[in-house]
């Protein structure tokens, strides 16, 4: 045996218990069916489109009128097909942003497309097109509403539930409902009836995940595409508290830039040290929301800020490949189409993502490891130039791996460590940069119990 592999989870487990009653408490926390389904389709897009697209703003003022929505048409087919090319499998539309303008023909307000010069229901146009092109459709409905006079009174909770009912009844299956925590710092205090919203969603769309201020998916904590070194999915239940999420969210239009540079102070959300201090835990995986441009809404002044395919791909590897889902925002312009710059970046991103797994050296499915599998060693029949290793835990058994090293075996027989990591979770993507090798080895140094590995894919 190679001496460097001797210390592993099955021998000393880095000096911590492999499984005791405390650790058992951590691994008893597992995803529900909706969370499992989302982890299988971890990349989807946001579309920020609406009043702000017409008025060229990031946030509205609350004083807009339907006449300000001067957009005449949209090309939903283009939106969906362009986004599909990026490899994304779903789209979440800002059906109502903070300005309160509704992109569907709601029966509960006169501040919607129905009363504007736009001819049609944008939510219907997009959801129909998503279903036609086999893409998931999701809904962003801003809890904070600057325009509606009911906001701040209990009648607003009824209004909000009526809106949810329309959106979750008339537009087919909805895969995610996104509740933004942002609220202007001068806005009136208001008690959102979160539990009523969650119960309603659960009743009308039992397969939908509820994100950010919702209980299924947590906000990664910034809008710049960054993730922590260790993105845990088993975390203290208190992180699910919607009011807590709101406190950390945008409270001012200009704060978007700040959030793009945000460095989370809560770096550790789920190590043993954190979990041991919390009696109640939950499965609450992170979602990375980031815009392809500087702003969330389209502005022609920001055409030069479209992120390069390389940058977008790095974001993908650091989010999807770091146990998170990725929600990439693509804002169509006031002519109702996605700009050609964004189109090109998305196409090239899609090619790069496909390129990760297009040339497999081998894909293994080890399943639950036993004490004999302290490390996993693989040999190839010829020299390969490895570009990626993709490792997935079977998260139906929770997340177990806490520390690991990944080695390649050089043609001269020597092992070189390519990566040291912590969390694996639903997916870890390790770039190897085309290094020549005749084998590879995964050494799990620390785990919460016997690791359960769904797959290890090695790619040229
Ligand atoms: C923020 C909002 O204030 C932004 O306008 C955008 O919708 C972003 C996704 O969330 O909190």
């Amino acid at each position: 045996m190679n001496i460097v592999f001797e210390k592993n989870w099955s021998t000393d487990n880095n000096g911590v218990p492999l499984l005791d009653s405390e650790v058992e408490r951590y691994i008893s926390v597992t995803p529900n069916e909706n969370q499992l389904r989302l982890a299988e389709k971890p990349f989807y897009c946001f579309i920020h489109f609406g009043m702000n697209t017409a008025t060229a703003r990031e946030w509205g003022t609350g004083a807009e009128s339907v006449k300000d929505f001067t957009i005449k048409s949209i090309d939903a087919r283009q939106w969906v097909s362009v986004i599909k090319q990026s490899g994304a499998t779903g789209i979440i539309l800002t059906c109502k942003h903070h300005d309160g303008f509704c992109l569907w023909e709601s029966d509960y307000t006169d501040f919607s497309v129905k009363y504007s010069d736009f001819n049609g229901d944008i939510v219907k146009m997009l959801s129909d097109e998503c279903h036609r092109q086999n893409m998931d459709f999701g809904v962003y409905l801003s809890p904070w509403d600057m325009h509606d006079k009911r906001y701040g009174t209990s009648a607003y909770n009824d209004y909000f539930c009526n809106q949810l009912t329309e959106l979750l009844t008339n537009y087919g299956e909805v895969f995610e409902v996104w509740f933004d925590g942002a609220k202007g710092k001068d806005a009136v205090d208001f008690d959102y009836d979160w539990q009523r919203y969650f119960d309603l969603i659960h009743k009308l769309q039992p397969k939908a995940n509820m994100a950010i201020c919702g209980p299924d998916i947590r906000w990664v904590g910034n809008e710049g595409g960054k993730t922590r070194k260790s993105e845990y999915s088993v975390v203290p239940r208190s992180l699910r508290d919607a009011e807590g999420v709101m406190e950390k969210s945008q409270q001012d239009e200009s704060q978007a830039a700040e959030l793009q540079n945000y460095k989370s102070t809560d770096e550790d959300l789920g190590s043993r040290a954190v979990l041991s201090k919390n009696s109640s835990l939950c499965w609450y995986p992170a979602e990375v929301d980031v815009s392809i441009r500087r702003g969330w809404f389209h502005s022609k002044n920001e055409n030069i800020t479209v992120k390069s395919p390389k940058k977008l791909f790095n974001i993908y590897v650091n989010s999807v490949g770091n146990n998170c889902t990725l929600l990439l925002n693509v804002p169509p312009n006031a002519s109702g189409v996605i700009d050609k710059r964004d189109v090109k970046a998305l196409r090239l991103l899609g090619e790069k993502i496909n390129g990760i797994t297009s040339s497999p050296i081998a894909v293994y499915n080890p399943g639950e490891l036993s004490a004999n599998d302290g490390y996993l060693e693989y040999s190839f029949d010829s020299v390969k130039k490895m570009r990626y290793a993709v490792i997935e835990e079977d998260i139906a058994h929770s997340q177990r791996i806490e520390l690991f090293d990944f080695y390649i075996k050089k043609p001269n027989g020597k092992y070189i460590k390519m990566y040291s990591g912590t969390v694996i979770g639903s997916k870890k993507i390790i770039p190897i940069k085309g290094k020549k090798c005749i084998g590879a080895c995964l050494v799990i140094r620390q785990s919460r119990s016997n690791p359960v590995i769904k797959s290890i894919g090695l790619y040229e």
Side-chain angles (χ1 to χ4, degrees):
M1 183 217 276
N2 190 320
I3 192 102
V4 80
F5 304 153
E6 250 169 38
K7 279 173 151 278
N8 58 55
W9 70 272
S10 75
T11 56
D12 71 333
N13 204 35
N14 201 34
V16 297
L18 180 62
L19 184 66
D20 60 9
S21 59
E22 179 60 7
V23 178
E24 210 163 333
R25 191 168 72 87
Y26 310 157
I27 64 164
S28 69
V29 180
T30 54
N32 64 30
E33 273 180 28
N34 293 346
Q35 292 169 319
L36 268 177
R37 206 175 321 103
L38 196 76
E40 294 289 319
K41 292 166 116 180
F43 172 33
Y44 36 94
C45 285
F46 234 159
I47 288 188
H48 273 66
F49 185 78
M51 184 59 85
N52 296 336
T53 316
T55 57
R57 295 184 65 104
E58 274 297 300
W59 276 14
T61 61
E64 289 89 359
S65 86
V66 286
K67 296 231 169 329
D68 296 317
F69 191 71
T70 47
I71 294 170
K72 294 282 173 311
S73 63
I74 63 158
D75 187 350
R77 179 175 294 203
Q78 188 241 13
W79 296 6
V80 179
S81 62
V82 161
I83 286 177
K84 201 170 175 175
Q85 279 199 344
S86 73
T89 56
I91 295 178
I92 300 177
L93 173 67
T94 51
C95 299
K96 179 189 86 165
H97 202 251
H98 312 322
D99 52 75
F101 183 70
C102 300
L103 297 186
W104 76 102
E105 300 185 335
S106 175
D107 285 339
Y108 299 95
T109 176
D110 52 13
F111 195 44
S112 83
V113 278
K114 189 170 169 184
Y115 300 90
S116 74
D117 290 341
F118 188 87
N119 188 16
D121 177 321
I122 294 177
V123 178
K124 175 102 180 95
M125 292 161 99
L126 183 62
S127 57
D128 279 355
E129 195 53 42
C130 280
H131 298 134
R132 212 179 61 78
Q133 296 196 38
N134 204 14
M135 291 278 272
D136 294 332
F137 176 69
V139 162
Y140 166 113
L141 185 68
S142 172
W144 178 40
D145 191 318
M146 306 174 169
H147 180 91
D148 197 88
K149 296 284 170 289
R150 285 161 285 194
Y151 188 82
T153 73
S154 68
Y156 183 79
N157 277 322
D158 298 336
Y159 173 53
F160 197 75
C161 285
N162 285 332
Q163 293 199 308
L164 272 175
T165 303
E166 290 180 322
L167 290 171
L168 303 181
T169 310
N170 301 333
Y171 302 96
E173 193 167 292
V174 167
F175 83 106
E176 184 167 318
V177 180
W178 214 90
F179 285 142
D180 201 330
K183 178 178 167 189
K185 53 181 179 315
D186 300 327
V188 290
D189 277 345
F190 180 58
D191 270 341
Y192 297 103
D193 197 345
W194 293 112
Q195 198 52 51
R196 183 172 161 204
Y197 310 163
F198 301 159
D199 291 345
L200 184 63
I201 295 167
H202 196 68
K203 188 173 107 205
L204 299 176
Q205 291 280 346
K207 290 188 172 164
N209 278 285
M210 302 175 229
I212 317 307
C213 290
D216 302 313
I217 303 165
R218 78 178 154 85
W219 181 41
V220 75
N222 67 79
E223 296 177 346
K226 297 182 192 73
T227 55
R228 298 170 179 80
K229 177 162 184 267
S230 311
E231 283 296 353
Y232 292 99
S233 303
V234 178
V235 295
R237 190 171 284 271
S238 54
L239 282 181
R240 266 189 188 166
D241 169 33
E243 302 303 326
V245 177
M246 295 191 78
E247 266 170 36
K248 296 199 178 89
S249 302
Q250 219 174 316
Q251 293 172 13
D252 175 323
E253 186 177 13
S254 64
Q255 239 184 343
E258 213 174 287
L259 280 172
Q260 288 183 16
N261 297 321
Y262 179 79
K263 297 228 178 2
S264 174
T265 43
D266 300 334
E267 182 61 28
D268 179 2
L269 300 181
S271 70
R272 290 186 188 214
V274 169
L275 300 188
S276 67
K277 289 189 212 106
N278 285 273
S279 58
S280 187
L281 308 176
C282 66
W283 186 270
Y284 200 32
E287 179 186 84
V288 174
D289 62 316
V290 56
S291 186
I292 192 169
R293 293 163 165 249
R294 183 158 63 208
W296 291 99
F297 286 89
H298 181 273
S299 147
K300 54 181 186 312
N301 301 335
E302 294 187 348
N303 282 342
I304 52 161
T305 68
V306 175
K307 293 182 174 61
S308 67
K310 188 170 168 213
K311 174 117 205 231
L312 293 172
F313 183 65
N314 282 342
I315 291 175
Y316 178 89
V317 170
N318 290 326
S319 54
V320 171
N322 193 23
N323 193 36
C324 300
T325 54
L326 171 60
L327 175 58
L328 175 65
N329 179 58
V330 180
N333 61 25
S335 308
V337 292
I338 298 175
D339 186 277
K340 58 179 190 303
R341 299 167 185 85
D342 310 58
V343 171
K344 186 173 173 201
L346 290 169
R347 181 170 49 77
L348 296 176
L349 170 64
E351 286 173 11
K352 282 178 175 291
I353 293 173
N354 276 338
I356 298 177
T357 53
S358 56
S359 306
I361 300 169
V363 179
Y364 307 96
N365 305 100
E368 176 160 355
L369 305 189
S370 69
N372 298 330
D373 313 308
Y375 58 93
L376 298 170
E377 215 174 357
Y378 300 109
S379 304
F380 312 145
D381 50 15
S382 57
V383 175
K384 307 287 181 192
K385 288 185 180 165
M386 199 188 297
R387 292 177 58 240
Y388 293 99
V390 181
I391 311 172
E392 298 183 343
E393 278 188 84
D394 184 346
I395 56 170
H397 298 269
S398 191
Q399 61 173 147
R400 299 188 175 196
I401 296 167
E402 295 176 313
L403 267 184
F404 69 95
D405 293 324
F406 184 80
Y407 294 79
I408 57 167
K409 188 176 186 182
K410 297 290 291 173
N412 64 8
K414 279 205 171 127
Y415 280 93
I416 312 182
K417 195 197 285 180
M418 296 305 300
Y419 192 85
S420 285
T422 55
V423 167
I424 291 185
S426 63
K427 203 189 286 289
K428 183 80 212 175
I429 302 177
I430 306 173
I432 312 283
K433 298 200 171 129
K435 290 262 187 304
K436 280 190 187 165
C437 55
I438 52 165
C441 186
L442 173 67
V443 191
I444 297 164
R445 306 286 184 189
Q446 185 182 318
S447 182
R448 292 179 180 172
S449 176
N450 295 12
V452 188
I453 300 185
K454 188 155 126 193
S455 63
I456 301 181
L458 307 174
Y459 302 92
E460 278 198 285

